[in-house]
Amino acid sequence: MEKVVCRTTQCGVPVPGATKNVQRLENRMVWLNELRCSGDEDSLWDCPGYPAPGVSVYQKPTVKMIKCSGQIKISLEPHECHGVAKYSVSPTHSGYFCKDNWGPKDTQTAELLCRSLGCGGLKEIPRARWVDMSNYERSEKMGVDCAGIDSVTNLWLCAGKPNQCRDPVVVTCKGHERLQLLGSPTNVCSGQLQQKKTKWEAVKNNINITDRLCTEVNCGTVKNYTYVDQNLHLTCTDTVKVVLMDGRRESKCFGRVHVNRNGLNQPVCGAGWTAENSHMVCKELSCGKLIEWTNKTDVGSGVMDDVRCSGDESSLWHCKAQHDSPLNCQQTPHVICSGSVEFRLADGPGKCAGRLDVLHGGEWKRVAKSKWNEKYSDNICQRLNCGKTTAGNHSERFFQGSGNFVSIACDQNQPDISSFISSIFYSVFSLSGSWSLSRPLVPDISECVKSEQNTPNEEAVGITCENHEVVFLKGSESCTGAVGIWQNNNTFWLSGSNETWNSEAAETLCQQMHCGRLTKFSSSSSAGDISDMIFRAYRCSGKQRSLFDCDKVELPDHNETIAQVECSGKINVSLSEGCWGKVRIFAEGKSEGVCADSWTEEMSKTLCQETSCGEAVFKARKLPSKEVVTFKSLHTVGNNSNLRESTFVKTENREMCVPAYVICGGRENVRFRPSRDKCSGVVEAFYERDWLPMSTNAAIRFGADYDFCEHQKCGTFDNPPTRLELPHDGEAITAIDCSGDGSKDAFKVCSISLTRNSILGVQQCSDWREIVLEDDGCKGEVAVYSQAGRMLVSSEGWTETEGNRLCTDLQCGKFKTKREVSGDDSFWKKTFKCPNDGKAESIWDCETESPPSLQRKKLFIECQGQSKVSLSSNCSGEVRINSSPVCNQNWDIDYSNRVCQEMNCGNAFVNTSGLPGAKSGLYVSCDQHHHVLGQCGRVEGTCQSSVSIHCYKNISFVTSEKCGGYLLVKYGKKRENVCADKETLNDDLLDTLCKKMNCEANDKPAKQANPETPRCWKKLHCPADVRDVNYCVTTQPCKTNKQVFLQCKGYIPRKTDTQTDTKKVPPTSTIVIGLGIGVVVLILIVLFVQKLIDRRNQKSRVLQQMFPDRGTDFDSEMYEEMNQPDDMEEDFRQDRLLAETEFVKGKGAQSSSSLQYDDVDEVTEAHPLTPKELTPASFRGNYGQEGASHQSGGKF
């Protein structure tokens, strides 16, 4: 048993003769008794003998005490009360404890360990990597698991075989006090030694000086020491300082965190890095407060890892951390402190105006405007010694630059900047003992800077401070005039005194203004009251790039002149395409672009006015792409509207940006599309090289809001309905919205909305006019229609040039011939003569103000082309103009009448749509004075469906039988039922209808019956004194759906139909009674038959008994008899069959009108009213087929 105990407790072997009995503690349970161990068991539980734990009764007052050979010692490494738990069994046998299964009781176990070592209670369980574990990995390990063990007095009681054993048992006991050295940041391993109690306290002279002191603070060994005021100061052998690295060089207050140890910079690893650690770095390096930190990938050899600072340490080096070298770093922390932040105003016309840039992390970054608070602007201006911001700070725009963005936003824990903007000064006590005022107390907004991500459409902040000043030249031309200085809405004049105004100053000024070299300089007397003028003076050496880089001097006495200069260059601002395009600045002999960043709508309006390109500015459809430009920005001076007097900021290196782009426009850039019409048509606007049409709504609104008709000298715009709505699948203007004061003259900056697949409308002003050829649209006398009526055009001045222009406008090809026609008609009061430059876009561009002479003659012109109108069938079908289908949209019955009359087919009867589906066609718009379709306006487009019409001459009548029957109207391929009011069906109408079918007048009145076949309807309603019965056919609704049934002499009704029509349909009650009787009779028959079967079966059984050998023959005779119905059964069957037949026939007569009707061509056509011998040959084939169908007994 002794062997088993010593082996299982990891205590060696039993000491011979050392086993003895000792007093048993009261109330202690004896778990194992009657053990019979052999010595080879793994534990006492494996020994035989005991019946079960705690079962065997043990009453002795003593128990066995066993002494083993092992001498167990437990300690902490590397410090007495802090480190990894270590054990030793003998001088040659030692190892470390590991925690395989530390759970909720691990704190209790650590507390036990600290108390057993005489180190007080537990202070904390630190991270394992914070202690030296160099010997742990290669040493023996013992697992510790105290779960389930009561009253543990020694950690060795919980020891056992390890499982995974990844983490050692590490504790910091209350008896351990951390050490650090407080000294200079240039060497944190030299200075006053401090120990951490409740706070850091200096170590007094009552301590044993050993190398352990330097080793504990990871600074090597003790090099020397001294006492200052009884406080111990150590200098260790290592020299250590914390540095920030930007790439491979040390940087100030930003960069990757490194430690310089003995002259070698090594990174700090970023595992477990926190904001508190970053704060510690900024504080240690006197770099202000932490702005931001992040971990950056940096695989390499590090010197610290898993750092955790509490914030009160003297250096990052003295924070809790793993101090080893080398460490495998996957990341290193990158820290930006407020001490690295700087501000500037960049790319502006002066040092006190421009885009706000922040030096952040060694990179100049822009400030996001979306998160900017204007209360910070004064702070920035004061920092840069530029005063405060100006009232016009918001309107000034600057070059946007490139690069990343930051935001500036101070949270509630930071000082309110606005409270510091006022001129509050703090006082300091001077060496002389008096109080004096010092600089303004300005908060450090550098602590409020934060990086921004995902800012694709962000705008940069721009600031203009009150000390911003620019120079300008006031003269009749650019680069010439009096020298002025504008600052904060005030104008100053440069003194022309000989003491300061010289060639050096003038040459500097010409270069600053991008005006070339100095031509001459002078001074002139002020034209106004000298007392109202403010002067400034500068003394230049000729080496400065700007007048403001020269020394500002006091004004000379008795100054009464203004400096004047004339430079060799010229400056001009224009657009690349005349009245639209990229903005071009001509300076220093070159025409260069300017970035759009600083360009404003006000500048666009000014430029359009200066270039005489209208008073409006259209917004671009699509801005140009980035390109290289020379000028970053343009800045106007005060309220000066002349762009050539602006200040230009030139790029030092050619920049890439979106160039400024302007589209000038005005009512003169909006017109009617050139056509044969004047003051009427599709409205379009010139927009970026193209004349784009306006949609119907846009044209109506524009015409009403901006006096379009008056501006076009076309009278007034009365917002008439559009005459044509044309689908347009190209780009079109759907809205023009212009800023202004709401008056009709407000036409300043306009935004244009564009879309595809819109509807265009023909608009018309009160002074509209149209020119036509009177015969067929491409030939005839030339006439002008207007509100004044019809007037003919004089032939004076007409040549082939004018003829070609007119024929082209009329879509009639080239000019063919002309001739003069005498007549006394009213003439148009103007003549036509096209300009020689060939730029006439319509015949109206050829109209002159010269009236015709008194010997005037009418003009007749014939063009080479034609406007040939046709129908796909005789007096019906699809309408075509020169083989092109006409679109159904905007078509009405008046247009159809023109076509039918032109085709000698009478009036139009009805319009129908052609086959649906997109196809090319013509949209037609007619006015009252157009008597043929060829004169109407037409536009090519895509039809969704074409127009089909039917003229009255295409109508014919048919009936269901010869000389009578149901009356139908036929046109095209359609057949429709005919109804009529009683008063319409008079004798005259009936006689006319009978005569049309070569039948004698009717001798019986017409009647109206239920329709034979369901179809659409047409109503007979004759106009007064009608001569052609076709014109009685109308599309009026029928009062009742009763079809006209005509009976002329010679009418031969169909027999089956007559029977069906004349047979009286039994009433519903009779049918119900008949069905009831039939059911009763059927039941009786079933019962009777069943009785017969039973009786015969009974007979069969008797006969079989009597004649067993004749059973088969008897059965055969019985079935034969059964197959012969008796008289009662036969009579019943015949009566039932007759009743069913009559019922079905009656039902069929009632429901004949409910037959499905899909297409009249599928039903056999009825006889035409017109006899066969009088039918035109083109129609006889169909009627012959119809007749054959009728003779064969087909249904109608």
Side-chain angles (χ1 to χ4, degrees):
M1 182 180 68
E2 287 85 349
K3 291 182 180 179
V4 175
V5 171
C6 289
R7 184 171 63 254
T8 57
T9 57
Q10 313 289 330
C11 291
V13 296
V15 176
T19 302
K20 61 180 179 179
N21 292 324
V22 295
Q23 183 71 30
R24 173 186 172 189
L25 297 177
E26 295 182 2
N27 300 324
R28 296 297 297 271
M29 182 72 177
V30 175
W31 291 98
L32 298 176
N33 189 22
E34 304 180 44
L35 292 175
R36 294 188 298 273
C37 297
S38 64
D40 298 327
E41 291 83 357
D42 291 334
S43 70
L44 292 179
W45 301 106
D46 297 330
C47 293
Y50 68 96
V55 172
S56 180
V57 177
Y58 186 83
Q59 295 180 340
K60 291 182 180 182
T62 61
V63 293
K64 295 290 184 183
M65 186 181 78
I66 299 173
K67 184 176 182 181
C68 302
S69 61
Q71 299 293 322
I72 306 301
K73 180 181 179 182
I74 298 177
S75 62
L76 295 177
E77 185 182 84
H79 305 295
E80 181 180 354
C81 293
H82 163 72
V84 181
K86 182 179 180 181
Y87 66 88
S88 64
V89 180
S90 66
T92 60
H93 182 193
S94 64
Y96 294 89
F97 290 111
C98 60
K99 46 183 182 181
D100 273 344
N101 187 26
W102 278 39
K105 291 187 176 182
D106 58 354
T107 303
Q108 298 177 9
T109 304
E111 179 80 17
L112 168 66
L113 177 60
C114 287
R115 293 189 180 278
S116 66
L117 296 175
C119 292
L122 174 68
K123 180 181 290 186
E124 67 172 340
I125 298 178
R127 300 179 187 177
R129 292 197 293 173
W130 289 350
V131 297
D132 184 6
M133 295 174 52
S134 57
N135 296 324
Y136 175 78
E137 296 295 338
R138 57 178 180 267
S139 299
E140 179 183 283
K141 301 173 184 64
M142 184 77 70
V144 175
D145 185 1
C146 296
I149 303 177
D150 294 333
S151 304
V152 177
T153 58
N154 192 292
L155 194 64
W156 194 254
L157 296 177
C158 305
K161 292 182 178 180
N163 187 7
Q164 296 179 348
C165 216
R166 288 173 298 189
D167 299 320
V169 173
V170 181
V171 296
T172 299
C173 304
K174 292 181 179 179
H176 174 72
E177 293 177 347
R178 288 172 55 200
L179 298 178
Q180 71 172 14
L181 291 171
L182 176 63
S184 170
T186 58
N187 183 10
V188 299
C189 286
S190 176
Q192 183 188 79
L193 183 65
Q194 295 182 327
Q195 60 184 357
K196 181 69 178 288
K197 295 182 181 295
T198 56
K199 60 180 182 179
W200 290 103
E201 298 178 359
V203 175
K204 301 298 182 180
N205 55 7
N206 56 349
I207 190 173
N208 186 22
I209 306 299
T210 65
D211 288 340
R212 178 189 64 84
L213 298 177
C214 287
T215 301
E216 191 168 339
V217 293
N218 301 290
C219 287
T221 58
V222 175
K223 184 177 182 180
N224 58 61
Y225 65 93
T226 185
Y227 290 94
V228 179
D229 297 330
Q230 297 184 350
N231 297 327
L232 177 61
H233 285 248
L234 283 179
T235 298
C236 302
T237 54
D238 287 345
T239 301
V240 175
K241 67 176 180 178
V242 176
V243 296
L244 295 175
M245 301 292 293
D246 181 20
R248 294 186 177 182
R249 62 180 181 84
E250 293 186 16
S251 59
K252 175 66 174 174
C253 298
F254 77 92
R256 297 174 187 260
V257 182
H258 281 61
V259 170
N260 184 296
R261 187 175 189 179
N262 300 325
L264 177 64
N265 285 323
Q266 293 178 279
V268 174
C269 300
W273 190 264
T274 65
E276 191 64 48
N277 299 343
S278 301
H279 281 292
M280 170 59 64
V281 173
C282 292
K283 181 180 74 171
E284 179 177 355
L285 299 179
S286 300
C287 287
K289 294 187 177 181
L290 173 69
I291 293 179
E292 68 180 42
W293 71 272
T294 184
N295 265 330
K296 295 191 176 183
T297 302
D298 187 11
V299 179
S301 177
V303 68
M304 291 180 72
D305 197 5
D306 205 10
V307 181
R308 187 173 72 177
C309 299
S310 59
D312 59 356
E313 292 88 351
S314 61
S315 169
L316 182 76
W317 185 251
H318 298 312
C319 295
K320 297 174 183 178
Q322 179 183 5
H323 292 77
D324 283 321
S325 183
L327 296 173
N328 185 18
C329 284
Q330 300 298 320
Q331 292 178 319
T332 57
H334 184 277
V335 172
I336 301 177
C337 308
S338 61
S340 67
V341 173
E342 297 179 20
F343 298 91
R344 73 178 182 186
L345 296 177
D347 292 332
K351 67 175 184 178
C352 290
R355 181 189 66 250
L356 177 59
D357 284 355
V358 177
L359 184 61
H360 178 264
E363 175 187 351
W364 284 105
K365 300 179 181 179
R366 301 172 291 171
V367 178
K369 190 173 184 178
S370 62
K371 298 184 179 181
W372 175 254
N373 193 321
E374 279 299 327
K375 69 182 181 181
Y376 303 150
S377 297
D378 280 350
N379 188 283
I380 296 297
C381 289
Q382 291 181 9
R383 281 177 170 271
L384 300 176
N385 297 319
C386 290
K388 298 181 180 180
T389 54
T390 63
N393 176 49
H394 303 286
S395 60
E396 191 79 7
R397 298 184 62 188
F398 304 95
F399 175 61
Q400 289 292 296
S402 60
N404 297 320
F405 278 94
V406 296
S407 62
I408 297 180
C410 296
D411 58 32
Q412 296 180 352
N413 297 324
Q414 290 166 313
D416 183 7
I417 293 176
S418 60
S419 64
F420 294 95
I421 300 303
S422 59
S423 298
I424 301 176
F425 293 86
Y426 64 89
S427 301
V428 295
F429 194 78
S430 65
L431 293 176
S432 60
S434 61
W435 292 95
S436 63
L437 294 177
S438 182
R439 62 179 178 84
L441 181 60
V442 180
D444 188 1
I445 65 170
S446 59
E447 300 172 3
C448 308
V449 179
K450 300 176 182 178
S451 290
E452 288 295 324
Q453 305 294 332
N454 300 322
T455 55
N457 299 315
E458 186 60 77
E459 184 178 351
V461 171
I463 295 178
T464 301
C465 303
E466 62 183 356
N467 289 350
H468 169 58
E469 51 189 1
V470 294
V471 64
F472 65 93
L473 297 178
K474 191 68 175 178
S476 58
E477 297 181 1
S478 62
C479 297
T480 300
V483 183
I485 298 171
W486 184 87
Q487 177 186 348
N488 197 18
N489 293 326
N490 295 315
T491 300
F492 303 85
W493 297 100
L494 186 65
S495 171
S497 171
N498 294 334
E499 298 180 23
T500 55
W501 182 237
N502 51 31
S503 60
E504 288 82 2
E507 184 69 41
T508 299
L509 186 64
C510 287
Q511 295 181 16
Q512 178 182 353
M513 300 292 291
H514 308 291
C515 286
R517 303 302 301 271
L518 174 66
T519 300
K520 65 178 181 179
F521 72 97
S522 61
S523 58
S524 63
S525 300
S526 171
D529 186 359
I530 193 71
S531 61
D532 295 334
M533 305 183 73
I534 306 175
F535 290 89
R536 285 188 179 176
Y538 295 87
R539 182 171 286 110
C540 301
S541 63
K543 297 181 181 179
Q544 294 85 356
R545 300 180 60 182
S546 167
L547 185 68
F548 303 120
D549 293 334
C550 302
D551 295 331
K552 187 176 181 180
V553 298
E554 294 294 330
L555 289 173
D557 295 337
H558 309 294
N559 176 74
E560 297 180 354
T561 59
I562 300 175
Q564 299 277 339
V565 69
E566 180 179 333
C567 306
S568 61
K570 297 294 179 184
I571 291 179
N572 185 42
V573 183
S574 62
L575 293 172
S576 60
E577 303 297 330
C579 287
W580 67 279
K582 301 172 186 176
V583 177
R584 311 298 293 179
I585 299 176
F586 182 83
E588 299 176 345
K590 296 180 180 180
S591 180
E592 302 288 351
V594 60
C595 289
D597 298 344
S598 66
W599 194 264
T600 64
E601 290 183 353
E602 193 63 36
M603 293 177 185
S604 296
K605 288 187 288 185
T606 301
L607 181 56
C608 289
Q609 292 170 1
E610 288 183 1
T611 53
S612 301
C613 288
E615 72 274 27
V617 179
F618 291 159
K619 292 187 177 179
R621 280 183 282 181
K622 182 181 179 180
L623 292 175
S625 302
K626 287 185 176 182
E627 61 182 43
V628 176
V629 298
T630 298
F631 293 96
K632 293 181 180 180
S633 57
L634 177 149
H635 303 273
T636 56
V637 178
N639 297 323
N640 193 344
S641 61
N642 196 326
L643 293 181
R644 69 171 183 264
E645 296 179 8
S646 302
T647 299
F648 305 94
V649 180
K650 194 173 181 181
T651 59
E652 296 180 0
N653 300 313
R654 293 170 70 83
E655 298 276 356
M656 289 282 293
C657 69
V658 176
Y661 187 80
V662 176
I663 305 170
C664 299
R667 281 167 287 203
E668 57 276 345
N669 282 10
V670 182
R671 69 176 187 182
F672 284 110
R673 177 181 288 172
S675 68
R676 64 179 180 178
D677 297 329
K678 178 73 172 179
C679 299
S680 176
V682 175
V683 181
E684 56 186 13
F686 187 75
Y687 191 38
E688 291 184 289
R689 202 189 300 272
D690 300 318
W691 285 99
L692 297 182
M694 291 189 189
S695 68
T696 301
N697 293 334
I700 291 175
R701 180 180 173 185
F702 183 82
D705 291 349
Y706 301 107
D707 293 334
F708 171 64
C709 287
E710 294 179 12
H711 200 79
Q712 296 286 313
K713 298 180 180 179
C714 289
T716 59
F717 183 84
D718 298 327
N719 193 14
T722 58
R723 293 184 297 144
L724 173 67
E725 288 191 344
L726 171 66
H728 178 70
D729 56 3
E731 202 169 28
I733 297 171
T734 56
I736 298 182
D737 296 318
C738 301
S739 63
D741 56 5
S743 66
K744 291 189 175 183
D745 292 331
F747 198 74
K748 301 293 178 62
V749 177
C750 302
S751 63
I752 290 184
S753 300
L754 299 174
T755 190
R756 289 186 177 272
N757 301 318
S758 58
I759 301 298
L760 308 183
V762 174
Q763 308 300 317
Q764 187 169 280
C765 301
S766 60
D767 291 347
W768 64 271
R769 66 206 79 157
E770 179 187 1
I771 193 166
V772 298
L773 297 180
E774 290 285 60
D775 282 8
D776 63 0
C778 290
K779 180 178 68 175
E781 294 178 354
V782 183
V784 172
Y785 285 86
S786 67
Q787 280 191 336
R790 174 179 178 270
M791 295 183 181
L792 296 175
V793 175
S794 170
S795 62
E796 294 180 37
W798 279 80
T799 66
E800 183 179 353
T801 301
E802 289 72 29
N804 273 323
R805 181 68 265 172
L806 177 59
C807 288
T808 301
D809 290 347
L810 297 177
Q811 297 173 282
C812 291
K814 295 291 186 179
F815 168 77
K816 185 176 182 180
T817 61
K818 75 176 182 69
R819 68 176 185 266
E820 295 178 340
V821 180
S822 300
D824 296 330
D825 299 73
S826 298
F827 279 84
W828 186 246
K829 296 180 180 180
K830 296 181 181 180
T831 57
F832 292 84
K833 179 66 176 177
C834 293
N836 296 327
D837 57 9
K839 293 184 178 181
E841 294 185 278
S842 77
I843 190 63
W844 296 106
D845 292 336
C846 304
E847 189 180 36
T848 70
E849 295 298 325
S850 302
S853 65
L854 297 177
Q855 289 76 31
R856 54 199 172 195
K857 291 185 179 181
K858 295 184 288 185
L859 174 65
F860 186 100
I861 281 184
E862 181 177 357
C863 304
Q864 295 180 13
Q866 293 181 343
S867 295
K868 184 179 179 180
V869 179
S870 63
L871 295 173
S872 57
S873 298
N874 186 24
C875 291
S876 70
E878 187 179 60
V879 181
R880 295 188 178 98
I881 301 178
N882 295 335
S883 301
S884 295
V886 175
C887 301
N888 191 37
Q889 189 170 348
N890 305 302
W891 190 268
D892 62 30
I893 193 66
D894 288 338
Y895 296 1
S896 299
N897 284 329
R898 287 178 175 84
V899 175
C900 289
Q901 291 291 341
E902 187 175 351
M903 304 297 295
N904 296 316
C905 292
N907 288 348
F909 168 52
V910 68
N911 298 334
T912 60
S913 296
L915 293 175
K919 56 184 173 181
S920 298
L922 298 174
Y923 288 86
V924 175
S925 174
C926 299
D927 285 324
Q928 293 181 354
H929 53 268
H930 298 143
H931 64 275
V932 294
L933 197 67
Q935 292 177 321
C936 301
R938 57 185 183 270
V939 180
E940 292 183 0
T942 301
C943 300
Q944 296 304 316
S945 64
S946 58
V947 172
S948 288
I949 67 172
H950 301 279
C951 306
Y952 270 104
K953 284 191 177 182
N954 179 247
I955 292 177
S956 62
F957 293 93
V958 295
T959 56
S960 56
E961 289 88 41
K962 182 178 180 180
C963 290
Y966 290 99
L967 182 65
L968 297 95
V969 63
K970 177 183 176 184
Y971 57 95
K973 293 183 179 182
K974 291 180 178 287
R975 278 174 170 75
E976 296 182 348
N977 295 337
V978 176
C979 68
D981 297 333
K982 289 183 179 181
E983 56 271 17
T984 301
L985 295 176
N986 54 48
D987 294 340
D988 292 338
L989 176 62
L990 298 177
D991 289 346
T992 303
L993 291 172
C994 288
K995 290 177 181 179
K996 267 188 169 287
M997 56 181 292
N998 200 24
C999 297
E1000 295 184 23
N1002 67 311
D1003 56 352
K1004 294 181 180 180
K1007 62 179 182 179
Q1008 301 189 56
N1010 291 326
E1012 182 184 35
T1013 304
R1015 295 185 178 93
C1016 296
W1017 292 86
K1018 288 293 179 287
K1019 184 176 182 180
L1020 292 181
H1021 183 78
C1022 301
D1025 301 324
V1026 64
R1027 302 291 299 275
D1028 187 346
V1029 71
N1030 286 8
Y1031 281 85
C1032 295
V1033 181
T1034 69
T1035 58
Q1036 297 178 12
C1038 297
K1039 293 182 179 179
T1040 61
N1041 289 339
K1042 297 290 186 179
Q1043 189 172 1
V1044 174
F1045 194 91
L1046 189 66
Q1047 301 180 75
C1048 304
K1049 286 185 178 181
Y1051 167 54
I1052 302 176
R1054 284 178 293 172
K1055 183 178 181 180
T1056 56
D1057 292 343
T1058 304
Q1059 292 174 349
T1060 302
D1061 290 340
T1062 57
K1063 186 175 182 67
K1064 185 176 180 180
V1065 178
T1068 304
S1069 61
T1070 302
I1071 295 173
V1072 173
I1073 293 172
L1075 287 174
I1077 294 173
V1079 171
V1080 172
V1081 172
L1082 180 62
I1083 294 173
L1084 292 174
I1085 291 173
V1086 171
L1087 293 175
F1088 177 74
V1089 171
Q1090 182 65 38
K1091 186 173 182 180
L1092 285 177
I1093 293 172
D1094 292 341
R1095 187 177 64 179
R1096 288 174 188 256
N1097 288 338
Q1098 185 176 7
K1099 283 183 178 182
S1100 175
R1101 288 193 296 271
V1102 173
L1103 290 173
Q1104 284 179 354
Q1105 293 174 359
M1106 294 175 65
F1107 308 101
D1109 56 338
R1110 294 188 58 191
T1112 305
D1113 296 337
F1114 181 79
D1115 290 342
S1116 176
E1117 292 174 359
M1118 288 297 294
Y1119 279 110
E1120 290 174 1
E1121 185 179 353
M1122 284 296 293
N1123 291 335
Q1124 301 295 325
D1126 56 23
D1127 295 339
M1128 180 179 179
E1129 290 176 306
E1130 182 67 26
D1131 293 342
F1132 177 81
R1133 186 179 294 111
Q1134 291 177 354
D1135 292 342
R1136 182 167 177 264
L1137 179 61
L1138 178 62
E1140 290 178 350
T1141 304
E1142 289 176 348
F1143 175 75
V1144 172
K1145 289 179 66 177
K1147 182 178 180 182
Q1150 278 186 324
S1151 61
S1152 62
S1153 63
S1154 64
L1155 296 176
Q1156 181 67 31
Y1157 174 71
D1158 294 327
D1159 190 351
V1160 295
D1161 291 339
E1162 297 176 2
V1163 181
T1164 306
E1165 296 181 354
H1167 285 292
L1169 287 178
T1170 307
K1172 181 177 180 181
E1173 59 271 12
L1174 298 179
T1175 304
S1178 60
F1179 296 101
R1180 275 207 296 270
N1182 291 336
Y1183 286 133
Q1185 183 179 359
E1186 293 166 359
S1189 178
H1190 173 64
Q1191 291 169 6
S1192 66
K1195 293 184 179 180
F1196 288 84

